[in-house]
Every structure is written in structure tokens, then in C-alpha cells.
Amino acid sequence: MDSIQDIWAEIMAVLAKNLTETSIKTWFTDCSPVELEDGKLVLHTPKPFKRDIIQQRFSKNIKEVLKELFSCEFEVVVLSDEELEEYREQRREEKTLPEMDGYTFENFIVGNSNKFAHAAALGVVKKPGNRAYNPLFIYGNSGLGKTHLLLAIGSAIHENDPGAKIIYVKGDEFLNDIVQALKEGTMQEFRQKYRFADLFLVDDIQFIAGKERSQEEFFHTFNNIYEAGHQIVLTSDRPPIDMTLLDDRLRTRFEGGLMADVQPPDKETRMAIIRDKAGHLGMVLSDEVVQYIAEQITSNVRQIEGVVKKLTASHEISGEKINKASVDKAIADVIRTGVYIPTPDDIIEETSHYYQISAEDIKGQRRSKNIAAARHISIYLIRTLTNLSFADIGSYYGNRDHATVMNSCKKIEKAMVNDSAIAATIRDITSNLNSRQR
Ligand code: ADP
Ligand code: MG
């Protein structure tokens, strides 16, 4: 009972019990629902005089049914043909996604590393809600185009169907929203906000893992949208199986659609991206420079973009010639101001400082409480700061296996929820790591 059509049918069924057949026929045959959101039901009927009658005589009854259904107050607005046109126009303007025209399929460069995810995204645009792609779960490391694809889907669907209700939300924003709604007792409004989405885009869903109440709420939102046959697209920095504290019901849902990963682009693709980004900035780079950048930056498109922007800016500001030396300079600038990724050894060392024990002990087999805690925390930090796989991480710890490493991460993720000292330790070590980089 979730699509607006179902709700309208329900309303009509209740009205039919209280009104004569003639009156239903006269007033409602050409009346249809347009939108239900933010506590407002919008209806359309072609003629202004019918609009007035529905508004004056029946909106009270309609409101009562809505209150029954959703236990909150709704406003009912009826629009004639002309008003509907105006309303749609206005909604079109309101519904612009963040930087929607910046992230499109046209400016997404396809290569081996992302062609599956790209094809899946196009599949969604072609047939939103198709069970084969619902939900679409796009995962991969930072800076590889997940958000780009997500917004490209939003932008293309908006173009095909300007009336579609598209909701884009970041995982952590969704969390904040829930916490806020719980605090202020506005859960009803919260649910209204999300449940009628035709397209629900959630960026960086990994933030939801471990937060029980939020997972519960997300589960309901997910089901509402999914059961209504509407499309859900999620991105994450890791696949569901690696989201250790994810509720099993959610994991099953996430894995029940299509999962597509994005990998770092190969050199050819990196070169194509560099040319394309430069082109958008009105720059033509020599083949030598393009190739050189592609060789220097291999794992993050965001950094590639940063370097091209930097080069363009210094060329425009000081007329600097672009050669290998200026590329080196731009890279140094971008990498320094960009996100610093510490090595596993850095992390182990920093953790050993913090706990005042040796790195050998952290990596070794001793199980005293302090050493075990430091071991779990360093493993957790490597997992969250470097994007290495569990197996890779195990190799730094005397070849501990995938499951052992995963257990350490789980332990810390759980502990962080209840134990503020652990959370503070994590924060401190992270900040020590960052400052030692400067
Ligand atoms: P993620 O969400 O995976 O961290 P983003 O989607 O934010 O990464 O991408 C980072 C930057 O790199 C964005 O500016 C995006 O436009 C660009 N980018 C990533 N992949 C591609 C690609 N295949 N073609 C063009 N630009 C890309
Ligand atoms: Mg992103």
C-alpha cells in the first residue's frame, strides 16, 4: 500500500462508502493524484469548477482518510489543468539534485575498471524498479566515480521523467536525520519524507552499519520503496559482506539486487579521463604530459582531477608552461592537501607509541589485555584508513587469516558504540597519524 495510486484507491474506497455513486462519478472520475509528500496531497482535475467543489466539499473527508492511514495531518491541494502545469514547472526547479548537471553519463569515462557498474547504472535508467537491478549496489574505494554514477542516474531519470520524486541522501545525513527525528519525536514526518521516493539514492551507505536503531529505520524505508516497485541505488566503500556490523536483514536486501564494483582505472582510461577533464577546463595537454600524469597517479580519479585543475590554474595565473616539472609540482600540492593515506606500518607504529608497547608485540601472538587491545585497534585503523582487504591486513600480523582480522574489526566497531574511551583512542591515534604527515 505504498504507491500514490494505491493510496488514492484506498481514499476513494472510503469515500465510496459515504457518498452516492452519482456523486463519486460526477466529481471524481477525472480526478487523479499528482504527488504525496511533505504532509501534502496534490490532486488534479481538469476543470476549475470541479477543483473548487472537491476542495470545498471533499477535502475534509480526504484528510480524515489520510490521517487514518498515516496518523498525521495532511493538507489537500487540488489543481486544475493550468495550475498543474505551473506546479510541475515549479517542482522541476526545486528538484535539482546537488551539482546535477556536473555529474552525468556524458562526462563519465568508461573503461574496463568501471564498465560493469556503468552498464548497470544505464540499466537502471532504462527500467527503474526492474527487479534485476533493484537495489543497485555500487562499491569501491574512494575517488573512483561512485557518487558520479549515482548522480548521473538521478540526472538521467529526472530528464526522462521530470515529475519523478528523486531523493538523494548521504548515509551520514540519513543517520543524523534519524537521530534528530527520534530526539524531537518527529518520526512520522521523517518516514513521510522518504517513503514515497520513486528513486532513492543513498551515497556512502557504509555509515549505517552498527547503528541499530538507524538500521531498523532504514530497513523500513528500504522495504517501503522496494515493495512499491521503486528504484533504490546505494554506494559504499566496501561490499555488504565486508560491512561487519551490518544487520543481516539489510545485508540480504543489499545482496538481493545487483552488486557492481568500481576498480582503479587502467592507464588508457586514466589518460582518457585526464584529456576529458582538461578539455572541460579549456586546456589541451601534450601527450607526454597526459601520459606522465597517468603514470604518477594511479588509484584515485579525484586526485587526477585535482592535478589537472591545479595545472590549469597555474598555467592561467602565471602563464607557466606545462611540462613534467610543473606536473610534479602540481602533484606535490594536490597530494599534500589531499587525503593522506598512511601505510599499515605507520599505523602499527603510531598505535604502539600510543599504548607504549613495541610494534613487534602488536604484530605478534601475545594475548595480554593491553597488547590485544592495541592489536585490534591497529587492525581496525588499517581497515578503515587504507582500504586494504582483510587478507592483506592479516599478512602484516604474522599471516593471520581473513576471519581473525574481520573479528578484530567487529570487536572494535562494537566496542566503539558503547565505550567512549575506545572511540577517543581511535580518534587520537588517527589525529596523531595525520599530524605526523605534515
Ligand atoms: P567516489 O564517490 O567513488 O569517492 P566520485 O564519484 O566522487 O568518487 O569521483 C571523484 C571525482 O572523480 C569526481 O569529480 C568524478 O567526476 C571524477 N571521476 C571518477 N570517475 C570518473 C570517470 N570514470 N570519468 C570521469 N570522471 C570521473
Ligand atoms: Mg562518493
Side-chain angles (χ1 to χ4, degrees):
M1 228 282 303
D2 269 310
S3 85
I4 185 168
Q5 297 300 340
D6 295 340
I7 290 157
W8 182 239
E10 181 80 19
I11 293 170
M12 289 313 296
V14 177
L15 290 188
K17 283 189 206 148
N18 304 308
L19 303 168
T20 63
E21 219 184 302
T22 325
S23 120
I24 291 279
K25 241 199 195 134
T26 315
W27 304 116
F28 289 104
T29 32
D30 47 9
C31 178
S32 59
V34 176
E35 192 170 72
L36 182 74
E37 71 171 42
D38 301 335
K40 185 160 89 178
L41 172 67
V42 181
L43 301 171
H44 164 246
T45 192
K47 302 268 180 308
F49 86 96
K50 282 199 183 178
R51 168 203 59 196
D52 292 345
I53 299 285
I54 294 174
Q55 190 83 58
Q56 286 155 19
R57 288 207 6 217
F58 302 112
S59 64
K60 191 160 161 273
N61 307 55
I62 297 173
K63 280 184 196 173
E64 275 163 14
V65 185
L66 285 168
K67 187 154 187 199
E68 275 293 299
L69 289 174
F70 299 110
S71 349
C72 67
E73 299 289 340
F74 274 81
E75 190 189 339
V76 173
V77 181
V78 193
L79 306 174
S80 63
D81 272 349
E82 207 172 300
E83 290 162 336
L84 181 66
E85 222 18 68
E86 229 169 82
Y87 182 79
R88 288 235 155 102
E89 194 55 44
Q90 193 189 330
R91 296 295 282 154
R92 228 175 310 238
E93 279 163 23
E94 282 171 22
K95 269 187 191 154
T96 323
L97 288 159
E99 297 184 59
M100 195 161 76
D101 53 350
Y103 291 127
T104 61
F105 284 109
E106 287 80 62
N107 58 25
F108 188 82
I109 307 291
V110 184
N112 279 328
S113 58
N114 57 29
K115 68 175 181 216
F116 185 72
H118 176 259
L122 286 178
V124 163
V125 170
K126 218 169 179 183
K127 281 195 176 166
N130 185 331
R131 294 266 147 136
Y133 301 103
N134 206 11
L136 172 61
F137 191 101
I138 303 172
Y139 66 92
N141 286 351
S142 176
L144 298 181
K146 301 183 297 295
T147 300
H148 190 135
L149 279 177
L150 190 73
L151 291 172
I153 292 172
S155 146
I157 289 185
H158 174 73
E159 210 159 278
N160 294 346
D161 177 9
K165 181 168 173 176
I166 301 174
I167 295 188
Y168 168 85
V169 67
K170 296 203 172 84
D172 53 337
E173 281 171 13
F174 187 85
L175 273 185
N176 290 342
D177 259 21
I178 292 177
V179 172
Q180 190 87 0
L182 285 171
K183 211 162 65 192
E184 291 171 3
T186 52
M187 224 44 222
Q188 282 297 337
E189 284 80 355
F190 173 84
R191 292 184 182 141
Q192 296 300 336
K193 183 168 158 191
Y194 292 103
R195 68 188 297 172
F196 299 110
D198 295 309
L199 175 64
F200 188 40
L201 307 170
V202 189
D203 207 0
D204 291 318
I205 185 72
Q206 72 269 11
F207 285 109
I208 203 139
K211 326 282 189 309
E212 264 168 48
R213 188 67 180 83
S214 310
Q215 295 198 60
E216 175 86 25
E217 210 41 66
F218 185 78
F219 184 70
H220 289 300
T221 303
F222 185 101
N223 284 346
N224 276 324
I225 297 172
Y226 183 82
E227 296 306 335
H230 296 159
Q231 179 70 45
I232 300 164
V233 186
L234 311 162
T235 73
S236 169
D237 67 352
R238 61 196 87 162
I241 191 166
D242 282 351
M243 294 169 73
T244 46
L245 280 188
L246 188 67
D247 187 298
D248 279 338
R249 295 183 305 173
L250 277 178
R251 195 192 316 280
T252 312
R253 289 287 187 286
F254 291 174
E255 289 171 347
L258 185 68
M259 292 197 280
D261 68 333
V262 286
Q263 294 288 333
D266 55 29
K267 190 168 158 203
E268 287 295 301
T269 313
R270 296 201 294 279
M271 288 173 63
I273 291 174
I274 293 162
R275 287 205 183 88
D276 187 72
K277 299 286 175 195
H280 279 284
L281 296 167
M283 281 290 292
V284 180
L285 300 174
S286 71
D287 287 350
E288 192 197 13
V289 164
V290 170
Q291 181 151 344
Y292 187 62
I293 300 172
E295 280 161 2
Q296 301 301 306
I297 305 183
T298 56
S299 61
N300 187 321
V301 180
R302 188 176 290 115
Q303 289 181 347
I304 290 178
E305 197 169 20
V307 167
V308 174
K309 277 187 183 153
K310 193 96 207 170
L311 281 174
T312 309
S314 48
H315 176 76
E316 275 169 5
I317 292 164
S318 55
E320 199 181 312
K321 207 168 138 21
I322 298 185
N323 50 29
K324 283 187 181 178
S326 52
V327 171
D328 284 336
K329 221 166 86 197
I331 289 176
D333 281 347
V334 166
I335 307 288
R336 187 150 16 93
T337 53
V339 186
Y340 154 58
I341 300 177
T343 67
D345 285 326
D346 289 339
I347 293 169
I348 291 169
E349 197 188 327
E350 201 57 56
T351 311
S352 76
H353 280 312
Y354 188 91
Y355 277 91
Q356 307 265 300
I357 56 180
S358 74
E360 295 343 325
D361 273 341
I362 289 189
K363 296 195 266 191
Q365 301 297 331
R366 290 177 56 190
R367 289 163 185 268
S368 78
K369 204 168 165 221
N370 211 29
I371 292 174
R375 188 174 300 137
H376 294 319
I377 284 193
S378 61
I379 285 175
Y380 169 83
L381 283 170
I382 295 175
R383 178 64 188 164
T384 50
L385 297 177
T386 70
N387 287 317
L388 288 179
S389 71
F390 289 128
D392 286 343
I393 297 172
S395 70
Y396 284 90
Y397 292 79
N399 278 328
R400 283 178 159 83
D401 64 18
H402 175 278
T404 311
V405 172
M406 190 158 100
N407 268 334
S408 293
C409 291
K410 255 189 195 158
K411 263 198 187 106
I412 298 300
E413 284 180 9
K414 269 206 186 110
M416 276 172 80
V417 178
N418 304 315
D419 187 344
S420 57
I422 293 277
T425 301
I426 300 278
R427 204 173 45 239
D428 289 348
I429 298 176
T430 311
S431 112
N432 292 348
L433 274 164
N434 285 335
S435 50
R436 96 199 205 132
Q437 175 60 12
R438 302 277 143 187

